[in-house]
Amino acid sequence: MASLERSKKKMHLWKKAIVHFILCFVMGFFTGFTPAGKASIFSGRVSAPKTVEAFQQTKTQNLNRSLLDERQELKAHVQNLKREVIPEKVEEKIQETNSRRLVIVVTPTSRRTKLREVFLSRLANTLRLVAQPLLWIIVEQKSDESKVSEVLRQTGIMYRHVVFKENFTDFDSEMDYQRNIALNHIEHHRLSGIVHFAGLSSVYDLSFFEEIRAIQAFGTWPIARLSANRKRVIIEGPICDSSEVVGWHLNKMSNLTDTPPPPIHISSFAFNSSILWDPERWGRTSSIQDASQDSLKFVEKEVLEEETNLKGIPAQTCSNVLLWDLHISFRK
């Protein structure tokens, strides 16, 4: 009996061993057929966080792509607006500037003038407010100590700085000589515009410069001369019927035949620069330099004699004062 029970136990152990062996074999057999790229059922929990992270990365990339596309579209839209709007404004500005005539402002200076650089800066601040185009011609005696060039570079105005070497003892003669140098410069370079002589003591209404742009040949206007010592104002200039000059208000004028010097103030007229370098346009056969070396006297004489071409400024009535002369002694 004992031997029979032992044999049954052994048999039972063999059966368990055989079943365990077969299960292991079957599992190993089917595991061998599983593809290597696919995750096993046991690796699912480990790979889940990677899947969420990949989803978030994809979503972020899509959002960035969308923002980039919107930015590029906005940039393209702005560029299109610039191409459409800015050139139109620039073109209008260019056309407006081209339609205006050039104003050529001539200013003689002297080393004997008190606070010369200060008054140059004051006049520059006025000219800076004038609509373009405007050319400022400044004349002075050549000197290593002069600060005029430094002042001019800081103005932001289109200018030409002309110097000379001659010495003068008389102030008025020096001023006339400098004006002639400027006129010769305008003639030599054939500068086309309206020439006006502006002194360091001149004070302007800005509408003055727009008025003189309309001058075809010669223009004149009243000028208020302020005397600080006598505390009075003297009005000199034309008497007009509309824009036609019919007479003159002149200080200390006894006879119109006393032409040298002319009775009108040097800053109370302007003229078309082409009379200097285009004689055929004005019915002449020679230039001013062939006829006379003193261009200034020639111009002043023409202003008084060319009555049909002389127009009063402002055009409606030349009784309005747009220019004041501070009649103060600037000499050292």
Side-chain angles (χ1 to χ4, degrees):
M1 290 291 294
S3 61
L4 182 61
E5 289 179 1
R6 281 197 297 271
S7 61
K8 285 182 178 181
K9 287 181 180 181
K10 288 181 180 180
M11 198 62 144
H12 182 68
L13 291 172
W14 276 107
K15 285 181 181 181
K16 289 175 69 176
I18 292 171
V19 171
H20 183 71
F21 174 76
I22 292 172
L23 287 174
C24 291
F25 177 78
V26 171
M27 289 182 66
F29 178 78
F30 285 104
T31 302
F33 287 97
T34 303
K38 293 184 178 181
S40 65
I41 57 175
F42 301 104
S43 61
R45 294 180 181 177
V46 179
S47 61
K50 293 183 179 179
T51 304
V52 174
E53 184 180 352
F55 173 75
Q56 291 177 346
Q57 289 179 351
T58 303
K59 187 175 180 181
T60 303
Q61 290 174 356
N62 292 336
L63 180 60
N64 291 339
R65 240 184 249 110
S66 177
L67 291 174
L68 182 61
D69 293 340
E70 289 181 3
R71 184 183 299 176
Q72 290 176 347
E73 289 178 2
L74 180 60
K75 185 177 180 180
H77 182 63
V78 171
Q79 290 177 348
N80 290 334
L81 287 176
K82 287 182 179 180
R83 281 193 291 268
E84 293 174 2
V85 178
I86 294 179
E88 292 180 1
K89 291 184 178 180
V90 172
E91 186 176 355
E92 290 177 1
K93 190 70 174 178
I94 292 174
Q95 291 178 353
E96 183 182 356
T97 303
N98 291 338
S99 64
R100 299 195 195 100
R101 301 185 66 185
L102 174 68
V103 174
I104 305 173
V105 178
V106 175
T107 302
T109 66
S110 174
R111 288 184 296 174
R112 288 176 287 183
T113 301
K114 298 177 182 178
L115 303 174
R116 177 174 61 164
E117 289 78 13
V118 174
F119 284 100
L120 269 175
S121 298
R122 184 196 61 83
L123 183 57
N125 289 332
T126 300
L127 298 180
R128 189 183 300 164
L129 301 175
V130 179
Q132 297 297 318
L134 181 143
L135 174 64
W136 193 17
I137 300 179
I138 302 91
V139 190
E140 71 158 338
Q141 186 179 26
K142 187 175 182 180
S143 172
D144 296 334
E145 299 177 356
S146 174
K147 296 182 180 179
V148 171
S149 296
E150 183 180 348
V151 173
L152 295 175
R153 283 193 295 268
Q154 297 174 355
T155 61
I157 302 172
M158 183 171 62
Y159 70 89
R160 294 191 181 182
H161 186 196
V162 183
V163 298
F164 64 94
K165 297 180 180 179
E166 287 74 11
N167 293 316
F168 290 87
T169 56
D170 181 68
F171 180 83
D172 293 332
S173 298
E174 181 183 2
M175 293 295 99
D176 286 345
Y177 180 80
Q178 292 189 35
R179 294 183 184 105
N180 272 308
I181 289 179
L183 294 179
N184 293 339
H185 180 86
I186 293 170
E187 179 184 359
H188 178 73
H189 294 281
R190 291 179 168 252
L191 302 178
S192 180
I194 303 301
V195 181
H196 165 59
F197 298 104
L200 293 179
S201 58
S202 299
V203 178
Y204 294 91
D205 185 309
L206 288 179
S207 62
F208 167 83
F209 296 96
E210 293 307 313
E211 292 285 349
I212 67 174
R213 290 184 199 272
I215 293 174
Q216 296 300 321
F218 304 95
T220 184
W221 50 83
I223 179 172
R225 305 187 66 183
L226 283 69
S227 176
N229 297 330
R230 298 182 181 180
K231 297 181 180 180
R232 65 176 183 174
V233 177
I234 300 174
I235 304 295
E236 295 184 7
I239 302 171
C240 299
D241 180 7
S242 185
S243 62
E244 181 182 357
V245 178
V246 295
W248 299 89
H249 286 298
L250 300 173
N251 186 33
K252 296 181 180 179
M253 189 191 77
S254 58
N255 194 336
L256 275 176
T257 59
D258 298 334
T259 52
I264 60 175
H265 191 274
I266 190 66
S267 295
S268 64
F269 67 89
F271 62 94
N272 192 319
S273 64
S274 62
I275 70 170
L276 300 173
W277 47 265
D278 191 5
E280 294 181 1
R281 178 178 176 181
W282 300 92
R284 302 184 182 92
T285 58
S286 62
S287 66
I288 289 178
Q289 289 303 311
D290 294 335
S292 172
Q293 292 299 316
D294 197 332
S295 302
L296 180 62
K297 285 185 178 180
F298 176 85
V299 171
E300 291 175 326
K301 182 172 176 288
E302 289 295 306
V303 170
L304 291 175
E305 292 182 354
E306 292 285 344
E307 295 181 357
T308 57
N309 292 325
L310 182 62
K311 300 299 179 183
I313 301 295
Q316 292 76 16
T317 169
C318 64
S319 62
N320 294 342
V321 176
L322 303 178
L323 170 60
W324 295 262
D325 176 49
L326 301 177
H327 193 56
I328 302 172
S329 178
F330 293 112
R331 305 174 199 179
K332 295 178 181 179

